[in-house]
Amino acid sequence: MRSLRSGFSPASLLTGAATLATLGALLVAAPAAQAADTPLRDLAAAKGKAIGTAVTGSKLTGTYGDIAGAQFNWLTPGNAMKWETVEPSRGTYNWAEADQIVAFAQAHNQQVRGHTLVWHSQNPDWLENGTWTPAELSTLLQDHISTEVTRYKGRLAAWDVVNEPFNEDGTYRSTLWYNGLGADYIAQALTWARAADPSAKLYINDYNVEGVNAKSTALYNLVKSLKERGVPIDGVGLQAHLILGQVPATFQQNIQRFADLGVDVAITELDIRMQLPAIEAKLTQQAADYKAVLDACVAVTGCSGVTVWGFTDSDSWIPDVFEGYGAATPYDENYVPKPAYHAIATALGGTTTPPTGACTATYGVTSQWNTGFTGQVRIACSGAALSAWRVSWSFGAGQRITQAWNATCTQTGTAVSCANASYNGTVTNGGSVTFGFNGAWSGTNPVPAVTLG
Ligand code: G2I
């Protein structure tokens, strides 16, 4: 057995007696909570629903990539397919992140929702600041739609063709497109998208249209009239950027009225923000809110599924835009599933019960290079506490730990065991402790299931 202690304190070296004492203290710990749960995508598939997440291409490695691939059956590029990303200067295209996400989705047997072709935001400066005649604007938009949709033809299941066309009172938003082309830019955009890829479902997507209100009624009337005119429209996206405790009471009724028009309904950008700190009572309310949204979609046949706008609090737009708010997604910033995650699982028919009064250990790869990697394990307690801890796992692909810090780690064959250092055995109720290590790998570097205690 090799000892790979970090060198912080001799007292953290485990002797046989210390091991027994440590194990005694560990009896209060529940096992890692998420290890045996059925992935959300399997639960959703059994119900014929999509469960998706917005993703950032550069993050699709390590734990982020593992969760995105394992838990979700749909992906939406959060920013990668927007006009400013794909054509930052006129005629110069950058498809790198969009291509990467589509390839990741194909490799993980996932569908992709393209997002988004016509919007008032995140357009390149050359487009926003240009002076265009209506004819020029129309040509620019048609070329953009044709180029982007054709590039991914046959590979995307759906497109958010038009994003956020309405004001809160149901009038059309004043945008580059509306001001230059009139309201019919919407019908034209849909028609051009259909011509470029007849197999993709075409959506109009907006926010604050989850309940029955002036804005959602304007969207309803638009979809109804587009269908009557024979304009290609397959679905509506209800973004669902919600506030804690404020799921509209008419959510399901609203989904149903769109479904009754003969279009699909997708919840496309779900997140539920709260004022920080994210104390237990708020996380419990958030779980109830997530469940209410999922329940509403599950209850309506025409609701195709739910996409969360980032699955982890470390990849959410909320803190950047709403000061003092956050914790809006189903996983915390260290990839620990929150009560909201378990609520989604329950709404999708999962039978696992959320852990109560548990300490959990979560393993993540924080960086990786050709022969080495840095890993991290976080031990977090909620409704329980520890005075000492030990985390064990088995490496599945020959990985070896070469150095550890904030823990004493030993490796025998594939079996790794890491115990607290002298100074970090205590994990308070609501607190967490993190230790790290460097390792060697070749071939693959899969994330092992870890056991606490
Ligand atoms: O604003 C939330 C969403 C509302 N519905 C449409 C979505 O497309 C929109 O997504 C967000 C992205 O999640 C953010 O990541 O759209 C924002 C822009 O309106 C995105 O924020 C931008 C930042 O403002 C930029 O500073 C940054 O360079 O993300 C960019 C890329 O990280």
Side-chain angles (χ1 to χ4, degrees):
M1 184 185 275
R2 244 166 10 126
S3 182
L4 298 155
R5 193 172 59 84
S6 57
F8 278 101
S9 163
S12 66
L13 261 178
L14 282 178
T15 63
T19 305
L20 284 176
T22 307
L23 284 175
L26 280 171
L27 290 176
V28 296
Q34 68 273 37
D37 290 355
T38 307
L40 298 180
R41 63 182 291 172
D42 296 348
L43 298 171
K47 290 220 174 279
K49 301 285 179 184
I51 184 77
T53 181
V55 289
T56 302
S58 60
K59 298 182 180 175
L60 283 169
T61 59
T63 306
Y64 183 100
D66 290 338
I67 295 173
Q71 296 286 337
F72 299 94
N73 56 19
W74 279 65
L75 299 183
T76 304
N79 288 297
M81 291 185 173
K82 291 171 179 174
W83 200 328
E84 73 171 6
T85 307
V86 301
E87 197 185 4
S89 39
R90 194 171 183 185
T92 304
Y93 294 92
N94 178 3
W95 305 106
E97 189 190 352
D99 285 355
Q100 183 205 348
I101 292 170
V102 172
F104 181 97
Q106 282 179 336
H108 292 81
N109 195 22
Q110 295 166 311
Q111 309 269 27
V112 178
R113 165 177 294 276
H115 176 86
T116 179
L117 297 168
V118 192
W119 196 20
H120 62 273
S121 179
Q122 289 182 282
N123 287 320
D125 289 343
W126 65 264
L127 176 64
E128 284 287 347
N129 300 336
T131 305
W132 315 107
T133 65
E136 287 169 337
L137 208 50
S138 180
T139 302
L140 280 165
L141 186 56
Q142 181 173 9
D143 287 351
H144 170 66
I145 291 173
S146 302
T147 302
E148 183 152 7
V149 176
T150 300
R151 182 177 182 87
Y152 298 105
K153 183 180 179 185
R155 291 194 288 160
L156 265 52
W159 267 108
D160 290 334
V161 176
V162 179
N163 203 33
E164 303 173 359
F166 289 110
N167 294 316
E168 297 305 290
D169 65 0
T171 56
Y172 282 108
R173 187 192 286 268
S174 164
T175 71
L176 178 66
W177 310 115
Y178 180 76
N179 298 339
L181 302 173
D184 225 42
Y185 82 88
I186 295 172
Q188 287 176 324
L190 290 161
T191 303
W192 292 327
R194 176 69 96 234
D197 185 354
S199 70
K201 292 209 172 189
L202 306 181
Y203 279 67
I204 302 173
N205 187 50
D206 215 325
Y207 63 88
N208 288 350
V209 291
E210 294 74 32
V212 175
N213 57 35
K215 193 175 185 179
S216 66
T217 298
L219 178 59
Y220 177 89
N221 290 333
L222 170 63
V223 170
K224 189 163 181 287
S225 93
L226 290 172
K227 285 204 69 99
E228 283 164 4
R229 289 169 56 193
V231 175
I233 174 74
D234 304 308
V236 293
L238 315 182
Q239 293 184 8
H241 294 292
L242 302 178
I243 299 169
L244 190 71
Q246 296 184 27
V247 178
T250 51
F251 205 149
Q252 186 179 323
Q253 177 195 340
N254 191 43
I255 295 173
Q256 187 68 59
R257 73 167 170 161
F258 280 105
D260 291 344
L261 282 179
V263 292
D264 287 351
V265 182
I267 313 304
T268 50
E269 305 185 13
L270 177 62
D271 51 25
I272 302 178
R273 62 185 179 269
M274 63 181 71
Q275 209 159 7
L276 299 172
I279 58 168
E280 202 66 26
K282 293 181 191 172
L283 294 173
T284 303
Q285 175 67 52
Q286 185 185 49
D289 293 344
Y290 265 92
K291 182 157 185 313
V293 172
L294 270 289
D295 283 347
C297 182
V298 168
V300 180
T301 307
C303 186
S304 60
V306 175
T307 288
V308 294
W309 203 245
F311 63 86
T312 160
D313 292 337
S314 66
D315 188 39
S316 169
W317 67 296
I318 296 292
D320 294 339
V321 175
F322 299 97
E323 205 187 330
Y325 282 77
T329 78
Y331 287 80
D332 77 8
E333 61 285 345
N334 293 303
Y335 305 119
V336 177
K338 290 153 59 176
Y341 170 90
H342 298 285
I344 295 171
T346 303
L348 292 172
T351 51
T352 54
T353 45
T356 53
C359 297
T360 58
T362 310
Y363 177 112
V365 174
T366 53
S367 66
Q368 181 168 298
W369 55 98
N370 51 356
T371 57
F373 70 102
T374 299
Q376 173 182 292
V377 173
R378 179 172 181 264
I379 299 123
C381 292
S382 176
L386 297 173
S387 55
W389 46 261
R390 173 179 288 279
V391 180
S392 309
W393 65 86
S394 177
F395 273 135
Q399 301 101 313
R400 305 254 358 141
I401 290 196
T402 54
Q403 183 193 9
W405 50 94
N406 297 340
T408 301
C409 293
T410 58
Q411 181 167 359
T412 307
T414 61
V416 178
S417 182
C418 297
N420 61 272
S422 61
Y423 52 85
N424 66 358
T426 299
V427 186
T428 59
N429 181 3
S432 67
V433 164
T434 300
F435 69 89
F437 52 87
N438 286 331
W441 70 290
S442 64
T444 61
N445 186 18
V447 169
V450 298
T451 306
L452 175 64

